[in-house]
Amino acid sequence: MWPFCRKGPSGFSSSSTAEEVTQGIDGTGLTAIITGASSGIGTETTRVLALRGVHVIMAVRNMAAGRDVKEAIVKEIPTAKVDAMELDLSSFSSIRKFASDFKSSNLPLNILINNAGVMATPFMLSKDNIELQFATNHLGHFLLTNLLLETMKKTSKQSEKEGRIVNVSSMAHRFPYSEGIRFDKINDKLGYSSIAAYGQSKLANVLHANELSRRLKEENVNITANSLHPGAILTNLFRFSGIIDGLAKSVGRLVLKNVQQGAATTCYVALNPQVKGVTGEYFEDSNISKASTMGRDNDLAKKLWDFSLNLTN
């Protein structure tokens, strides 16, 4: 897999694994929340952060699956500190309950990894009557981040350690609808394209991180916000698209990353000291990369922020 990969300035490449990019890093005393931690790269991110001493809160929709993952990790790493809490990102009430329960635990929060997502779903509405991919992949994480931000600010101030917010986007952010974000047609069923809607939600992840980064810098807060493309990985994200799923399984071993490689960039951005002070950037293969032109549009990012604030309020 990826036999001829060139290393970037970080010293890592597309073939680097999550363990390799965090080698020798001690995360003891840090607390992280990872959404979508019960499968795919979310599970591997949880495992590797726990391996490095981080206390990981798995924010999962399926608590049974979450408990299974926790058991498997603790069996492999007896010292691991891993907990599971219920979170359905397609429901604002579930997100508010999760945030409230987390705050009640009085735990610190150093790292927030917005990883969960759905991909290329048929047209569906969320529990709050918003197109499902936009609601789950972007709005859910937007609301969650806003609700947990004060806890992160408090933690970074008291611990004098940098907080990090990581949005797992995708190279699909380059292929949204032609207008980027369909502010006036977010629920338009007639013009719906499952692939473009996914691209729209992933573009929103990039824009969210960029605008959040700008606001945190303005406030002089010691928290960074970045987005990333994990690489093409064979995970159950493909479950809604039979054709993509079939193709992925046929050629997957030749062109797709495995889960250990797929979780690398997330773990790098969340934990590696090379990324200290780096904010508002887009990463790929554990190196700084460049988002699309729309992904670097500051006015679009501000417009999306206001739009999202209105929808989540």
Side-chain angles (χ1 to χ4, degrees):
M1 170 65 220
W2 304 110
F4 307 111
C5 296
R6 276 203 192 142
K7 289 180 179 176
S10 68
F12 301 114
S13 71
S14 58
S15 65
S16 300
T17 66
E19 285 198 28
E20 287 167 356
V21 303
T22 57
Q23 190 66 46
I25 296 170
D26 184 7
T28 307
L30 300 177
T31 302
I33 289 174
I34 303 174
T35 68
S38 63
S39 67
I41 61 172
T43 295
E44 179 65 0
T45 303
T46 300
R47 186 187 74 81
V48 172
L49 261 59
L51 180 67
R52 304 299 176 222
V54 179
H55 178 192
V56 181
I57 311 297
M58 302 167 59
V60 296
R61 193 177 54 194
N62 183 334
M63 282 297 284
R67 281 189 288 269
D68 288 347
V69 169
K70 177 186 172 177
E71 277 176 30
I73 290 172
V74 173
K75 191 177 178 183
E76 182 198 337
I77 312 159
T79 55
K81 291 174 75 178
V82 181
D83 291 298
M85 288 175 63
E86 190 171 356
L87 173 67
D88 179 356
L89 282 159
S90 69
S91 161
F92 294 159
S93 63
S94 173
I95 296 162
R96 290 194 173 95
K97 184 180 186 308
F98 174 91
S100 174
D101 289 347
F102 180 79
K103 286 178 199 168
S104 298
S105 73
N106 291 316
L107 283 168
L109 184 58
N110 307 89
I111 302 163
L112 173 60
I113 300 176
N114 292 320
N115 164 80
V118 292
M119 178 184 175
T121 63
F123 181 83
M124 289 188 257
L125 295 178
S126 71
K127 292 179 175 70
D128 304 283
N129 292 314
I130 298 158
E131 189 274 308
L132 188 67
Q133 295 191 82
F134 188 77
T136 304
N137 299 352
H138 166 61
L139 285 177
H141 285 127
F142 176 87
L143 177 59
L144 180 69
T145 304
N146 281 359
L147 293 173
L148 295 173
L149 209 46
E150 283 310 311
T151 304
M152 290 196 75
K153 287 177 184 176
K154 189 177 161 188
T155 301
S156 71
K157 197 172 181 181
Q158 289 177 349
S159 67
E160 296 184 345
K161 288 177 183 170
E162 176 183 88
R164 294 188 183 182
I165 296 166
V166 183
N167 280 3
V168 179
S169 178
S170 164
M171 71 177 294
H173 85 274
R174 301 180 191 280
F175 309 104
Y177 294 104
S178 58
E179 63 268 52
I181 310 290
R182 307 178 98 201
F183 294 107
D184 301 323
K185 305 183 204 168
I186 212 72
N187 283 354
D188 177 25
K189 188 176 180 178
L190 276 177
Y192 181 77
S193 155
S194 62
I195 302 296
Y198 180 67
Q200 170 181 249
S201 72
K202 295 287 105 181
L203 172 61
N205 292 155
V206 176
L207 295 170
H208 171 220
N210 292 354
E211 177 63 10
L212 179 58
S213 167
R214 187 191 69 76
R215 287 167 179 261
L216 292 168
K217 273 198 280 193
E218 216 171 59
E219 287 180 48
N220 206 23
V221 174
N222 190 22
I223 299 172
T224 63
N226 293 290
S227 59
L228 63 92
H229 167 52
I233 308 140
L234 192 56
T235 70
N236 66 359
L237 264 184
F238 290 116
R239 67 191 179 273
F240 286 106
S241 178
I243 296 168
I244 296 174
D245 191 34
L247 277 171
K249 281 172 181 166
S250 302
V251 298
R253 290 187 183 179
L254 298 174
V255 299
L256 298 180
K257 290 185 180 185
N258 61 35
V259 171
Q260 290 76 23
Q261 292 163 332
T265 306
T266 304
C267 290
Y268 175 76
V269 177
L271 219 53
N272 197 291
Q274 289 181 1
V275 190
K276 187 172 173 26
V278 177
T279 188
E281 295 288 352
Y282 175 77
F283 289 78
E284 196 168 346
D285 297 332
S286 302
N287 282 276
I288 291 177
S289 186
K290 201 172 182 182
S292 68
T293 305
M294 278 186 182
R296 289 176 278 122
D297 186 328
N298 294 335
D299 292 333
L300 187 61
K302 285 174 193 166
K303 188 176 179 182
L304 176 66
W305 184 280
D306 293 338
F307 182 69
S308 305
L309 207 56
N310 186 45
L311 283 175
T312 51
N313 282 344

